[in-house]
């Protein structure tokens, strides 16, 4: 089994705690004990309460840190355009660099190009509140793309950074639909029909992402899996998966675990549980060809095709 995880917050933990990416207490485990190859998207999360200049500073610190840790641990850190199946298969652990919260740009449009040059593959436009790009799902001041936001998404498409609408308000989501040309994604969002949380996606939004050629990552945060987070369990992952698949998402559904950045169900302990989730799917009559798509192929094909559509 190969596995691509579109989102975790382990990088933020390691940088702010002055720790290492292979810290055994973290939910994302970097070791040579697994039976599969894994590509982990390492997001640097920028909290809403950070001033934009400090968010920018933390971004650049994290870029240097991730590069040095990948070198130390023998992790392949993929740059834009070099991700291929043959290269991936050579590394048990490999990585993409991503950003959670466009506040990292600090309102500087030239930073989009700089981020791309540092290998950023995905940028989540907002976190929960409002920033220079637009408003998050929990913002009291809801809006779509600001004038700066419209410039930012255009530059992201130009330089090959994927637009991520996880955490976006509904207003921002639909503005992204109207102001982008390439596929966009939701790295770590579930179904709002199953769990009525504003961070989850409506059926219409899921269908739009599919129609645009994007992908959606199943999130393992208890409050997004179950309306009663205390009762969230691995079975809820299956419920969200089944509903999203019913909307025509077989070629678009992936995982975006949110490890090290969420409250996991009691029966999920981190990346060591991925095999158990896979087994649960098998026990519920999912054939291996579909699971191969959800756990690896859909994400791989998306990045392969997105690179081919780059505008320079």
């Amino acid at each position: 089994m190969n596995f691509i995880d579109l989102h975790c917050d382990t990088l933020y933990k390691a940088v702010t705690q002055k720790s290492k990416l292979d810290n055994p207490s973290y939910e994302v485990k970097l070791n040579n004990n697994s039976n599969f190859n894994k590509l982990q998207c390492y997001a640097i999360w920028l909290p809403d309460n950070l001033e934009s200049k400090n968010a920018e500073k933390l971004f650049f610190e994290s870029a240097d840190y991730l590069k040095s840790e990948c070198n130390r641990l023998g992790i392949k850190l993929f740059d834009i355009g070099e991700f291929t199946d043959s290269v991936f298969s050579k590394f048990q652990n490999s990585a993409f660099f991503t950003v959670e919260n466009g506040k990292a740009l600090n309102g500087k449009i030239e930073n989009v190009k700089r981020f791309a040059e540092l290998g950023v593959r995905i940028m989540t436009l907002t976190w929960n509140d409002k920033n220079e790009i637009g408003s998050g799902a929990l913002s009291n001041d809801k809006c779509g793309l600001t004038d700066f936001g419209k410039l930012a998404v255009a530059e992201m498409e130009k330089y090959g950074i994927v637009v991520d609408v996880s955490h976006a308000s509904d207003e921002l989501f639909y503005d992204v639909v109207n102001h982008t040309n390439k596929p966009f994604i939701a790295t770590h969002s579930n179904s709002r029909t199953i769990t009525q949380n504003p961070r989850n996606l409506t059926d219409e939004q899921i269908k739009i992402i599919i129609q645009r050629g994007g992908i959606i990552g199943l999130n393992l945060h208890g409050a997004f899996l179950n309306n009663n987070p205390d009762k969230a369990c691995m079975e809820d992952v299956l419920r969200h998966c089944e509903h999203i698949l019913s909307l025509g998402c077989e070629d678009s559904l992936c995982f975006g675990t949110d490890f090290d950045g969420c409250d996991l169900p009691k029966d999920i302990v981190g990346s060591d549980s991925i095999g158990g989730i896979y087994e649960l799917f098998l026990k519920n009559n999912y054939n291996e060809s579909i699971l191969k798509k959800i756990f690896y192929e859909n994400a791989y094909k998306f990045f392969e095709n997105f690179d081919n559509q780059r505008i320079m």
Side-chain angles (χ1 to χ4, degrees), residues 20 29 52-53 69 118 148-149 221 223 241 258 288 299 310:
K20 301 295 183 182
K29 300 293 192 299
S52 293
K53 64 179 182 180
E69 278 293 274
L118 287 171
F148 175 79
H221 180 44
C241 179
D258 216 353
E288 297 219 28
R310 289 174 64 200

Side-chain angles (χ1 to χ4, degrees), residues 73-135:
L73 295 167
I75 301 170
K76 173 62 179 176
L77 180 60
F78 283 103
D79 200 353
I80 288 176
E82 67 170 345
F83 181 52
T84 65
D85 195 48
S86 60
V87 176
F88 170 79
S89 65
K90 295 178 182 178
F91 294 89
Q92 187 161 57
N93 292 294
S94 54
F96 279 162
F97 183 30
T98 72
V99 178
E100 185 175 27
N101 196 344
K103 177 175 279 197
L105 294 172
N106 192 17
K108 301 175 183 176
I109 199 64
E110 64 270 20
N111 268 343
V112 176
K113 182 180 179 181
R114 294 178 71 189
F115 285 18
E117 290 171 345
L118 287 171
V120 171
R121 301 302 308 265
I122 301 169
M123 185 157 66
T124 313
L125 297 181
T126 66
W127 197 52
N128 289 330
D129 210 340
K130 188 177 180 180
N131 63 21
E132 294 93 339
I133 291 175
S135 66

Side-chain angles (χ1 to χ4, degrees), residues 7-239:
H7 183 80
C8 78
D9 288 306
T10 312
L11 178 59
Y12 175 81
K13 269 192 175 182
V15 171
T16 58
Q17 294 176 359
K18 301 186 185 307
S19 184
K20 301 295 183 182
L21 281 182
D22 56 349
N23 186 324
S25 71
Y26 291 164
E27 291 162 2
V28 169
K29 300 293 192 299
L30 284 173
N31 55 54
N32 295 315
N33 301 325
S34 65
N35 296 319
F36 56 88
N37 289 6
K38 179 176 72 172
L39 171 73
Q40 181 66 59
C41 292
Y42 284 98
I44 181 58
W45 171 53
L46 293 315
D48 285 326
N49 60 5
L50 267 185
E51 291 186 12
S52 293
K53 64 179 182 180
N54 292 330
E56 180 187 26
K57 180 174 180 288
L58 180 56
F59 165 83
F60 285 112
E61 290 174 356
S62 301
D64 290 340
Y65 175 86
L66 181 60
K67 183 177 180 180
S68 67
E69 278 293 274
C70 286
N71 287 337
R72 180 179 72 85
L73 295 167
I75 301 170
K76 173 62 179 176
L77 180 60
F78 283 103
D79 200 353
I80 288 176
E82 67 170 345
F83 181 52
T84 65
D85 195 48
S86 60
V87 176
F88 170 79
S89 65
K90 295 178 182 178
F91 294 89
Q92 187 161 57
N93 292 294
S94 54
F96 279 162
F97 183 30
T98 72
V99 178
E100 185 175 27
N101 196 344
K103 177 175 279 197
L105 294 172
N106 192 17
K108 301 175 183 176
I109 199 64
E110 64 270 20
N111 268 343
V112 176
K113 182 180 179 181
R114 294 178 71 189
F115 285 18
E117 290 171 345
L118 287 171
V120 171
R121 301 302 308 265
I122 301 169
M123 185 157 66
T124 313
L125 297 181
T126 66
W127 197 52
N128 289 330
D129 210 340
K130 188 177 180 180
N131 63 21
E132 294 93 339
I133 291 175
S135 66
L138 305 185
S139 173
N140 292 322
D141 183 15
K142 298 285 176 57
C143 70
L145 287 166
T146 63
D147 288 343
F148 175 79
K150 293 171 185 175
L151 290 174
V153 295
E155 287 290 282
M156 288 168 67
E157 290 193 326
K158 178 179 178 181
Y159 291 108
I161 298 177
V162 180
V163 172
D164 176 19
V165 295
S166 283
H167 285 283
S169 65
D170 290 345
E171 291 83 353
L172 180 57
F173 178 96
Y174 288 105
D175 251 10
V176 168
V177 174
N178 293 325
H179 290 89
T180 56
N181 297 306
K182 290 189 177 185
F184 60 89
I185 69 178
T187 54
H188 56 301
S189 296
N190 295 338
S191 164
R192 203 181 301 179
T193 296
I194 301 299
T195 304
Q196 290 74 57
N197 189 300
R199 266 284 286 107
N200 285 338
L201 299 165
T202 67
D203 287 358
E204 181 181 64
Q205 290 171 340
I206 291 168
K207 290 177 181 178
I208 289 172
I209 293 172
I210 296 169
Q211 291 165 0
R212 288 287 297 269
I215 51 177
I216 298 165
L218 288 165
N219 189 324
L220 303 184
H221 180 44
F224 302 158
L225 287 171
N226 194 304
N227 289 314
N228 185 341
D230 291 337
K231 294 184 177 180
C233 65
M234 200 179 287
E235 293 277 351
D236 290 317
V237 182
L238 191 64
R239 291 195 305 129

